[in-house]
Structure formats: C-alpha cells, structure tokens
C-alpha cells in the first residue's frame, strides 16, 4: 500500500528574535485543530527552543537520529519522537550544543523524507543563518514562510534574502509580517514594505496579538491557537493562521489531484 507523503513548511527569517518559534507552535496548534498529524522539527540545532516553549521533557533528539542513521543503528522513526498531544509531535534539537556541529547536512534530506511519510505536516523551526545546513534545508522543503517584523534592520536583511531567492529563481515562499512581536515599532506600512521588498506581504499578525503574559503560556507549555477563547478574542490573527494552514494543505491536495 502506497503511503501518502506529507507537506513540509520551514519557518525562516532574515534576523533573529522575530517570533519564529512561537509562530511555529501556533501553526502546529492550528493544524492539530483541523486534525492533521504534525511534527515540529527543531532545526535551530545549537539553541533551539521548541521543547522549552512547549514545556515538554524529551529523551531523543535530531542528533540521535543522525548518529544512529550514520552508524547503521536506525530501526524506526518513532523512537526519536516526543509526543506533545494527540496530533502534535516534536523532534527536538540536541541537548548538548556541541552536538550541533556533528550533524551533517547530507542527512537532512533523509530526515525530511522519513518524517513526511509519517506526518501530514512537518513544521521546521530554524535559526536565521544562511549556512550549508539551512541552505540544504530550504532547498528540500515544500514551502517556506518568512517571518519578519517592522524593524528597519529586519527589513534590510529581508530585502537581501529575497534578492538571493530571486537570483536562484525560487518562489516557494510567502511572507508573514509579525507586528505582534514589537507592537511599538510601526515604521512602515504594508504598502511601504511591499515597495521596499518588491514582494507581497501575504499575511499579517496585528499589534493586538502582542501578549504581555506570553511567558505564562510557555511555563505551562500551552499553544495559544489551541486555547478555546482564541477564535473570539483574536479573531483576525486566528483567521491568519487558518489561512496559512489552508494555503499549505490545499496546494498539496491540488498536486495530488493532478497526479
């Protein structure tokens, strides 16, 4: 029996501190709400925060998978997974940051391929460095979600990043403007940003989504989009996350129908 291959989405940015990890977790919550089996890969290998953000203890990591595969000890993908809830699993970054340098980019495609045959959606959180590992990762995912803020340095870096993607003729990305990360930075309108970047701003999270008590959610391992009040209290932002999820899943369904 042929297995259906899932869809991968890398959440990337041109600068750190833009809210990638929280965005990744919120998207996982949305996919879980629509009953999609989700894996969060924490590819910020030296300083990832998925397990901390979700307050989820774990044993195995991406390093364990890579090390076992390299040394012919790999048996089944499930042994490396940590369960968050019924629909969301995580594969954390290494516990020891020194192990990050031992992970070879040649195993990224293998890791993704195995994950995609076990899950409907694979969400990948990473850092913003354009190193070999991240370049291989970006080249092998189905789609990329660039997360940016209204910070001038972030805008400058994003413009440079988009120029690289145009030169490579890669267009499998969309841009999320996260105004909730720094609600007091309102330097540019969406119109201004689109002119500067020469690209669409596909989604926006409003300043209203800024949460002063975000640490309480982290300490309790909660995902905001899974909270019962979320659709009513933050209706626009909830709709934004739903639109991202719909765009990703609908594209997969269309390609399957074409085949």
């Amino acid at each position: 029996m042929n297995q259906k291959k899932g869809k991968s989405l890398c959440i990337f940015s041109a600068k750190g501190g833009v809210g990638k990890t929280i965005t990744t977790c919120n998207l996982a919550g949305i996919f879980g709400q629509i009953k999609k089996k989700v894996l969060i890969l924490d590819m910020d290998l030296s300083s990832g925060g998925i397990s901390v953000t979700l307050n989820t203890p774990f044993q195995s990591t991406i390093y364990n998978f890579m090390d076992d595969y390299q040394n012919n000890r790999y048996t089944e993908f499930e042994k490396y997974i940590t369960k968050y809830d019924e629909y969301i699993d995580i594969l954390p970054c290494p516990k020891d940051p020194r192990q990050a340098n031992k992970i070879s980019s040649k195993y990224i495609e293998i890791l993704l391929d195995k994950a995609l045959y076990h899950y409907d959606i694979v969400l990948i959180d990473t850092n913003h460095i354009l190193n070999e590992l991240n370049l291989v990762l970006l080249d092998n995912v189905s789609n990329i979600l660039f997360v940016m803020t209204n910070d001038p340095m972030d805008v400058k870096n994003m413009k440079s990043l988009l120029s690289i993607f145009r030169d490579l003729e890669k267009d499998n990305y969309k841009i999320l403007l996260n105004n909730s990360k720094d609600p007091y930075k309102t330097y540019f309108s969406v119109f201004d940003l689109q002119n500067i970047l020469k690209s669409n701003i596909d989604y926006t999270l409003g300043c209203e989504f800024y949460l002063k008590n975000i640490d309480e959610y982290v300490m309790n391992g909660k995902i905001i989009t899974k909270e019962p009040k979320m659709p009513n209290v933050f209706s626009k932002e909830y709709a934004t996350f739903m639109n991202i999820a719909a765009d990703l899943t609908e594209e997969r369904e269309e390609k399957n129908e074409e085949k």
Side-chain angles (χ1 to χ4, degrees), residues 111-259:
L111 172 61
L112 282 176
D113 190 63
K114 291 193 175 298
L116 290 171
Y117 278 111
H118 285 80
Y119 294 88
D120 299 311
I121 305 292
V122 177
L123 299 176
I124 304 146
D125 188 25
T126 184
N127 58 38
H128 64 283
I129 308 300
L130 281 177
N131 54 23
E132 180 187 356
L133 191 145
N134 280 342
L135 288 172
V136 171
L137 180 65
L138 291 170
D139 199 41
N140 281 280
V141 295
S142 310
N143 287 281
I144 301 160
L145 180 67
F146 289 131
V147 181
M148 65 175 293
T149 64
N150 218 310
D151 180 83
M153 184 61 71
D154 193 3
V155 176
K156 190 261 309 175
N157 290 354
M158 182 58 70
K159 183 175 182 178
S160 299
L161 183 59
L162 292 176
S163 295
I164 294 172
F165 269 64
R166 291 190 194 100
D167 289 344
L168 296 173
E169 297 183 345
K170 291 182 66 67
D171 59 359
N172 61 330
Y173 62 84
K174 294 199 175 188
I175 300 175
L176 169 66
L177 175 62
N178 185 11
N179 283 328
S180 69
K181 183 63 174 64
D182 295 302
Y184 304 108
K185 292 184 179 181
T186 55
Y187 303 112
F188 307 104
S189 67
V190 171
F191 179 80
D192 291 334
L193 288 170
Q194 292 183 148
N195 280 331
I196 294 169
L197 300 175
K198 307 300 180 189
S199 182
N200 288 332
I201 301 295
D202 301 286
Y203 316 104
T204 302
L205 292 176
C207 298
E208 299 81 8
F209 196 51
Y210 172 73
L211 298 175
K212 293 182 179 179
N213 63 335
I214 186 64
D215 289 345
E216 293 181 17
Y217 284 90
V218 172
M219 294 298 289
N220 291 298
K222 293 182 178 179
I223 295 176
I224 301 167
T225 51
K226 287 175 63 65
E227 293 295 294
K229 294 181 180 179
M230 171 74 184
N232 295 322
V233 177
F234 298 110
S235 57
K236 290 182 180 179
E237 286 68 33
Y238 190 81
T240 295
F241 285 118
M242 287 296 292
N243 286 336
I244 296 172
D247 287 346
L248 188 65
T249 53
E250 284 174 7
E251 182 179 339
R252 180 180 64 150
E253 287 164 2
E254 287 172 5
K255 287 183 177 179
N256 286 339
E257 287 174 3
E258 289 174 3
K259 292 179 182 179

